[in-house]
Amino acid sequence: MSRTARWRLGLGASAVLLATAALPAPAHAEDVTDYAITVDPSATGPKIDKTMYGVFFEDINRAADGGLYAELVQNRSFEYSTADNASYTPLTAWTVSGTARVVDDSGRLNDRNRAYLSLAAGSSVTNAGYNTGVAVRDGEKYDFSVWARAEAGSTLTVTLQDAGGPLADARRIVVKKSGWTRYKATFTATRTSTAGRLTVAADAATALDMVSLFPRDTYKHEPNGLRKDLAEKIAALRPGFVRFPGGCLVNTGSMQDYSEGSGWQRKRSYQWKDTIGPVETRATNANFWGYNQSYGLGYYEYFRFAEDIGAMPLPVVPALVTGCGQNKAVVDDALLKRHIQDTLDLIEFANGPATSEWGRKRAEMGHPEPFHLTHIEVGNEENLPHEFFARFQQFRAAVKAKYPSVQVISNSGPDDAGSTFDTAWKLNRDAEVDMVDEHYYNSPQWFLQHNDRYDSYDRSGPKVFLGEYASQGNAFKNGLAEAAFMTGLERNADVVKLASYAPLLANEDYVQWSPDMVWFNNHASWNSANYEVQKLFMTNVGDRVVPSTATGTPSLSGPITGAVGLSTWNTGAAYDDVKVTAADGGTLFGDDFSGDASRWTHTGTGSWTVRDGSYVQTDDTAENTMVQAGDPSWHDYDLHVKATKKSGKEGFLVAFGVKDTGNYYWWNLGGWNNTQSAVEQATDGGKSTLLAKAGSVETGRAYDIDIKVRGRQVTLYLDGKEWGSFTDDKPAEPFRQVVTRDAKTGELIVKVVNAQSAAARTSVDLGGARVASTAKVTTLAAAPEAVNTETATAVAPKTSTFTQVAGKFTYTFPANSVTFLRIKQK
């Protein structure tokens, strides 16, 4: 640890040494500690609901098809389309031997399953599965099925093989002279392979649809079951709820249905009625994340899975305001009323008796008993708060009128702060909404700085659902930062009622978003460091907070220091007249680009050239094209830049306080598809937003940008007018704790995060509580950069016992660790 880092601990080892250097050595050296925790067991802290922590399942990173949904055949219904992905065809994942074509005509299986395969006599098709192929294990059974019809009858030969030969005995299926019929067969694997291929050959002309292969051994239910290892990892978390299905899936694309009247629209929001009933009748859809979603894992499977793992279902429905970069309000009263009715029908599907219209459909699918739905969320991260809230109020009124006990959850937009966030919260607060969903993805430093985020929230206002959060990485340092933040969530359990890390799952070969909690391929899965942190908290919650305090860190001192930079993101831009002036008026740097750009260092992507007296970045598809100039030791200065957008999707980025490529501040003007501007701080490559406002940048217009840095305060000016200011003086506190009580076991649970590279000797005062001398200890400790992989588990819990517990005792928490001590009260 550096001298600076030790000084910023305040009450860390160096401070103790400085304070005692002139004194005699103490009689008991173990009494000299870095930190102190004081517990007040006589005080009553907030109650923690058993649903406090849950999971959010969204079909991103192929979390469903190719993931939790156990189907082994990719594009089983020949429905892939360029609407899903520009590279797709109806035969993506299939290879043809002979003659085969995908047909969309009146001979289809049904209206909502519109494409099928016409296979000529003597021809075959072979499916490549997901990742490296169809994965099978020696001795296990796999259930094959196909819908087929043949005008003159035919025989299908179905084989499962890899490059080494057969993986199971071939199966023959006789297709009778009749209409569409479902045929089945079972394979028993004769050896293990991760590169299998499923082939269907026909001796006569045959139409095929819904070509399927499922492992017999799925989670709890078959057929149409869930992949066992992934489901078991989720179940092992013991989540209190499962949020589903999105995310961007519910608030992007068309809000129309999948019907002839709407033109069979493929790019639709996720609508629950598309996803129930027999799988061969479910609609297909273009997934927002760039692939096809079959809806084989639909709302029925979701409700059933939540029930299986003892979790509360928490569905999310469209609010008819798009987000995730689309940001449009749908103006169609009839469509709005239809979606509101769909929401009421969803509640009936979940809770209604088997004699009701939608309860009967649930019973027909195999579940006559209700699923006990208590919460429903409307919308997701809408960036138009007024338009969203006007529609939300209509949903809420309709639900409350028919189902007054169901909580209706709103949201506060896509960020942790800013004008959208503030406006949304005011609307929610004024309307006395039950609960508001907050989302944010920030740097580890932000999470270490904001443990107190909810300390000042209104205790009588709407409750908080932290529906999506993560610290932008899967290393243990990310898990440590999230753990530190979670102690603050628990301390504020009277405000924060629900919380879920996101995203949950990622197939390593189909990643749209990272980090993720559980990683997998077609044959294996592994827990991230973040998963281990979540599991430790989720399985050791307790039911009430026991008030406690701990020594902490003083405010940051010393000025913001660093060089300056220019960048773009999916934008072409020109910069000119860069000036850096010291606080005393002296010139530190100036460049009008009348010559070359030799004083600038290009550290990002893109293409920079000096052209017509400006420094121009011309690649409007490149992200983070940073160039830097100046001295990293600069402080207390004024930066002036003239910037003009030339082309592309966003605006421009002006950086200050630049230490290196992963540590800087920048003013992002016209970011987020040119919808808002913000000051972001990058720390070790992870970014967090310090200040944000709505606004866009005009193409071809020259803007004067001025940034005034004084100490740790920054003031920003746009065209001579003050745009905003902030002070960055919150410490990234490395030592955090919370104490809860488990009434069922009679234990105090002391939860401590030590996110620093030195052990933390800590005095613990249990406030007179009578306790057993032995505590059960669970510890996560690893190097900050440690990452779990398929083949190596660097971050895993270790259990032990500590036998020196008393009313007052000392415990040394390891460097870079999360430690839970379960202490039995007498």
Side-chain angles (χ1 to χ4, degrees), residues 35 448 476-485 487 529 532-533 536-537 733-737 750-762 777-786 794-798 811-821:
Y35 294 93
L448 291 173
F476 188 50
K477 66 182 180 183
N478 301 98
L480 285 170
E482 291 153 7
F485 189 73
T487 65
E532 297 297 351
V533 165
L536 187 57
F537 275 84
E733 172 61 76
F735 186 87
R736 292 295 190 187
Q737 60 80 39
V750 180
K751 312 174 186 183
V752 178
V753 181
N754 181 29
Q756 56 189 322
S757 57
R761 289 180 301 160
T762 306
V777 184
T778 305
T779 306
L780 290 170
E785 302 298 330
V795 182
K798 294 183 179 179
Y811 191 92
T812 299
F813 295 96
N816 302 308
S817 67
V818 184
T819 306
F820 281 27
L821 292 88

Side-chain angles (χ1 to χ4, degrees), residues 77-114:
S77 194
F78 310 101
E79 297 287 347
Y80 277 28
S81 163
T82 53
D84 309 324
N85 187 295
S87 67
Y88 281 1
T89 75
L91 283 169
T92 292
W94 294 93
T95 56
V96 176
S97 176
T99 302
R101 61 190 180 93
V102 176
V103 183
D104 179 358
D105 64 15
S106 60
R108 63 179 64 90
L109 182 59
N110 58 67
D111 279 348
R112 293 166 71 81
N113 194 333
R114 300 189 62 75

Side-chain angles (χ1 to χ4, degrees), residues 122-361:
S123 300
S124 66
V125 287
T126 299
N127 191 264
Y130 295 94
N131 302 92
T132 55
V134 176
V136 297
R137 289 186 174 87
D138 186 19
E140 295 194 4
K141 294 184 182 299
Y142 297 85
D143 293 322
F144 170 84
S145 66
V146 63
W147 284 82
R149 63 175 172 81
E151 299 302 326
S154 71
T155 299
L156 302 180
T157 301
V158 188
T159 57
L160 190 57
Q161 71 287 324
D162 64 9
L167 294 169
D169 293 337
R171 293 289 181 261
R172 284 178 173 75
I173 293 172
V174 176
V175 179
K176 300 175 183 177
K177 298 178 184 179
S178 61
W180 286 104
T181 304
R182 188 178 185 224
Y183 299 91
K184 302 177 183 180
T186 298
F187 291 98
T188 300
T190 54
R191 56 187 177 86
T192 296
S193 175
T194 62
R197 298 290 186 269
L198 179 75
T199 298
V200 181
D203 69 352
T206 309
L208 304 177
D209 208 343
M210 297 295 291
V211 182
S212 173
L213 187 69
F214 263 85
R216 176 75 58 85
D217 187 20
T218 57
Y219 184 77
K220 299 275 188 182
H221 303 277
E222 55 88 18
N224 205 50
L226 304 181
R227 179 169 151 174
K228 193 172 185 179
D229 63 326
L230 294 178
E232 287 178 340
K233 286 187 184 318
I234 300 170
L237 294 167
R238 298 201 297 239
F241 65 89
V242 182
R243 180 175 181 251
F244 175 94
C248 292
L249 299 190
V250 301
N251 70 338
T252 54
S254 168
M255 299 293 164
Q256 299 289 341
D257 62 0
Y258 190 59
S259 67
E260 184 177 8
S262 67
W264 306 107
Q265 293 193 31
R266 290 289 293 263
K267 294 187 175 182
R268 308 183 313 284
S269 63
Y270 195 110
Q271 298 173 46
W272 78 271
K273 288 180 180 177
D274 287 342
T275 76
I276 65 167
V279 291
E280 68 273 9
T281 67
R282 299 183 188 182
T284 192
N285 202 3
N287 182 292
F288 173 79
W289 298 108
Y291 52 89
N292 176 271
Q293 53 189 353
S294 72
Y295 289 141
L297 196 170
Y299 255 91
Y300 176 74
E301 290 75 24
Y302 155 62
F303 280 130
R304 192 178 60 184
F305 180 53
E307 180 181 70
D308 287 341
I309 62 178
M312 175 182 80
L314 202 164
V316 188
V317 298
L320 274 74
V321 178
T322 60
C324 301
Q326 297 182 358
N327 302 332
K328 293 181 180 178
V330 178
V331 180
D332 185 330
D333 286 342
L335 187 59
L336 176 62
K337 289 177 182 177
R338 193 267 285 173
H339 275 268
I340 291 172
Q341 185 60 50
D342 282 354
T343 301
L344 298 176
D345 292 344
L346 174 59
I347 299 172
E348 183 176 287
F349 178 77
N351 294 351
T355 55
S356 65
E357 178 184 359
W358 293 99
R360 182 181 303 112
K361 293 184 184 298

Side-chain angles (χ1 to χ4, degrees), residues 9 31 166 265 294 312 381 384 559 670 765 818:
L9 293 181
D31 292 339
Q265 293 193 31
S294 72
M312 175 182 80
E381 294 187 7
L384 303 172
D765 183 347
V818 184

